[in-house]
Each structure stands twice: as C-alpha cells, then as structure tokens.
Amino acid sequence: MREFVFTVEYERGVDEVMDLFIENPDLHSKTMAIHATSESMWRLDRLTGPTEALEAFDEVIEQATRCNGVLGMCGAPVVEWDYEVLSETPNGRIVYSCREEGDGIQSIPHVAAKHIGDGLLMQAERRGAQNQWRLLISDDDTVSEIYEEVKDSLSEGLSLSVQRISEPECWLEEGVSADGLPPEQQAALEAAVEFGYYETPRQHTVQEISEELDIPNSTLQYRLTRAEAWLARQFVTETLGTEVEERVDPEKLEASA
C-alpha cells in the first residue's frame, strides 16, 4: 500500500467554515472515522480550540445544514446534510455528519471512493487555511487519477499541494509513543508521577524525589526537563500538527502518471 498525503489550501472568503479556522489558529479538526461512497459520506470529527471559536463553528454549521444550495468541499453541491454533536466540552467537540451531494463537482471523499472503491481508508485534518488529506492507495495510477480530478475540480481561491507518496505512516498508532524516550528519562517521569510531582498542589519536590531515588537532584531535574521537552514535541507533531514535509512537485507527479 502507498500513502498519498496532500493539502488543499483556502484563501479567506472562499469557504465560511474554513474562514473560522483561518481566523482562529488554535482551532483544530481531525477525523476519527470517515466513510464515503459515490452517493454519501459519513464522518466523525474531533474538534478542539477556544470556546468562542467552537461556538462560532456550531453556529455556522447549524445555519449551513438548514440552507438549500450549500456548497461543500471544493464547491461540491450538497443535497442533504445531517449534523449532530455527540460529545461537547468547553474546548472540544466530537461531531457526526452525513452528506449527500448533487451532480457535478464532487468533494474529495467522493472522488477517492470513485477511484479506490471498496476498502477506502482516509484521514483528514484542518488547521488554519489548510485541509490536509491522507489516503491509503494500492497503486500509483490511482494516485495520479485522484490528483488530476481533485486539481481540475478546485474552485477559485483553492490551491493543491502534495506532501508525499510513500510507505504508510501514522495509521496504526495515535498520540504519543515513548519509543524514542531514553529509559532513564522514562524512569524519571514515572517516579515524578508516582510521587505526585505533577499533582496540584505538588506533593513532592524534585529534591525530595531525588533523595528517595538516591540520585543527584541536578540529574533528576535534567532528566525530567529533557523528558518533558520530548513529550511536548511529540504531542505537537503527532497529535496537533499537520505535516510540513517537503512538497512534491506537481509536474513530477504528472510525469510519473
């Protein structure tokens, strides 16, 4: 299998929903599941962000689902749109949506379903002006077909870039893995949690924990600082951020087709 990762970037004013992401850099959306056929698309999305941005998102989506003539991704005409918030917190949502599209331009999930058929697996992530997609595809010919149709159907104000076509990554695990954390730093984190260092109020200081472990205070502090920095980077890159890899030249992709 090959993983095809590409991004559609939106100019301000082209799409009301994407404008919310552009105006609120901390607003983030990632699919938990997405399924599509040539007729319909179902998806679960996890949204996180400031309370005000999420409330604005709720309002925009509620208005859109009640209107006729709504345009979806890439300008695809939406015939029917069901939307429901399954879980809600001040800074998060899990939402379900089901959409049917009319004739003409189709959105990316429908294009992918048409070319891949049964067994379609895909992910999507929105942040800022970018809506990034990951597809699992069995051959390069299908990659080229999807790329060409998506590129040709983009409405004005949208642009397409390809991040990579490679062996699959980031499909089997979600969140932060400790594989890259040295054992002594893992042990330091475990001890800090066990002794209540991260509780509020803090139950033990680094000095007290180091005495219990019989290691220098400076050594434990160093290990904790390094481990915390590593965890922060992992969280941002694997859980929050979209990929920033070198973009594939579209001319090279077309030539390979």
Side-chain angles (χ1 to χ4, degrees):
M1 299 291 287
R2 305 274 282 168
E3 182 181 37
F4 180 29
V5 183
F6 62 94
T7 298
V8 176
E9 189 156 348
Y10 290 69
E11 293 181 4
R12 188 185 297 270
V14 173
D15 183 280
E16 191 173 10
V17 174
M18 288 302 298
D19 280 349
L20 286 175
F21 287 87
I22 295 172
E23 295 162 5
N24 298 274
D26 293 330
L27 186 60
H28 175 243
S29 171
K30 189 172 184 178
T31 57
M32 302 172 65
I34 182 168
H35 305 282
T37 67
S38 57
E39 291 83 24
S40 302
M41 174 181 64
W42 308 262
R43 61 189 292 170
L44 281 176
D45 289 274
R46 176 183 284 113
L47 287 95
T48 58
T51 301
E52 297 79 6
L54 290 171
E55 290 175 348
F57 180 89
D58 293 340
E59 184 177 347
V60 168
I61 294 296
E62 184 176 357
Q63 292 176 353
T65 56
R66 294 178 178 178
C67 296
N68 295 322
V70 173
L71 296 181
M73 288 174 286
C74 305
V78 177
V79 175
E80 186 173 344
W81 191 355
D82 294 323
Y83 175 87
E84 181 178 352
V85 177
L86 302 182
S87 174
E88 178 178 349
T89 67
N91 298 109
R93 302 280 191 278
I94 295 178
V95 299
Y96 162 84
S97 62
C98 178
R99 298 196 315 189
E100 295 183 12
E101 297 181 358
D103 298 331
I105 293 174
Q106 292 184 305
S107 63
I108 289 170
H110 291 291
V111 172
K114 177 171 65 176
H115 291 284
I116 297 175
D118 294 340
L120 170 65
L121 289 173
M122 64 191 313
Q123 296 177 346
E125 190 167 5
R126 288 182 288 184
R127 184 189 293 277
Q130 296 185 338
N131 193 353
Q132 187 173 89
W133 297 85
R134 292 183 177 92
L135 306 179
L136 281 183
I137 299 177
S138 59
D139 61 86
D140 289 343
D141 288 342
T142 304
V143 170
S144 299
E145 291 168 359
I146 292 174
Y147 170 81
E148 290 295 335
E149 184 162 347
V150 171
K151 183 188 69 171
D152 292 343
S153 64
L154 290 180
S155 56
E156 186 176 355
L158 276 63
S159 59
L160 176 66
S161 63
V162 177
Q163 278 64 59
R164 59 189 172 85
I165 305 169
S166 66
E167 296 299 316
E169 299 178 11
C170 302
W171 284 82
L172 300 180
E173 296 183 0
E174 286 289 338
V176 176
S177 167
D179 292 344
L181 193 63
E184 63 274 12
Q185 293 179 22
Q186 292 186 39
L189 278 178
E190 291 171 0
V193 171
E194 180 181 349
F195 283 97
Y197 178 73
Y198 296 107
E199 299 293 331
T200 304
R202 184 166 290 167
Q203 297 179 9
H204 291 85
T205 65
V206 172
Q207 177 69 43
E208 292 169 338
I209 298 172
S210 67
E211 291 174 357
E212 289 288 339
L213 299 178
D214 195 25
I215 60 175
N217 175 69
S218 58
T219 299
L220 179 60
Q221 184 64 70
Y222 173 80
R223 291 175 180 176
L224 282 177
T225 300
R226 296 291 294 174
E228 290 165 357
W230 182 87
L231 285 171
R233 288 193 298 270
Q234 290 292 102
F235 178 75
V236 169
T237 57
E238 295 185 13
T239 306
L240 294 181
T242 55
E243 295 188 32
V244 291
E245 300 179 37
E246 182 179 355
R247 296 182 173 184
V248 176
D249 187 345
E251 294 183 359
K252 293 182 179 179
L253 180 63
E254 294 176 7
S256 67

